[in-house]
Amino acid sequence: MPNNESQKKRLRQSRARRLRNRQVRSEIRTRTKHLLATKSRDEATPALSELYRILDRATRRNVIKANAAARQKARAARHVNGLS
């Protein structure tokens, strides 16, 4: 447990950040599942752009690493390109 004020503040900040980051990662997983559940390219295209937007924002905020976001975007695009 923290012993002084700055350590207590650091604990509060890290808890808040951890919660926020968890929500962002959960949103990424949810959007990915929705995209993979689509059956046509028409409904997959807006879902893909939404996933891209969320991944780019998470990368800017250092929630996920840039290469991880690029990998997820490539896999999602490959899925959409395989749809008819």
Side-chain angles (χ1 to χ4, degrees), residues 2 4 8 12 19 29 34 37-38 56 61 73:
N4 58 34
K8 291 175 185 176
R12 285 195 309 271
L19 247 172
R29 283 191 294 270
H34 287 196
T38 58
D56 290 338
R61 295 178 178 173
K73 287 163 68 171

Side-chain angles (χ1 to χ4, degrees), residues 37-66:
T38 58
K39 299 299 180 191
S40 70
R41 190 178 290 209
D42 292 335
E43 60 185 53
T45 305
L48 181 66
S49 64
E50 183 68 20
L51 178 62
Y52 276 10
R53 188 178 70 81
I54 292 172
L55 285 170
D56 290 338
R57 184 186 299 161
T59 302
R60 275 196 310 273
R61 295 178 178 173
N62 292 320
V63 176
I64 59 173
K65 295 187 178 184

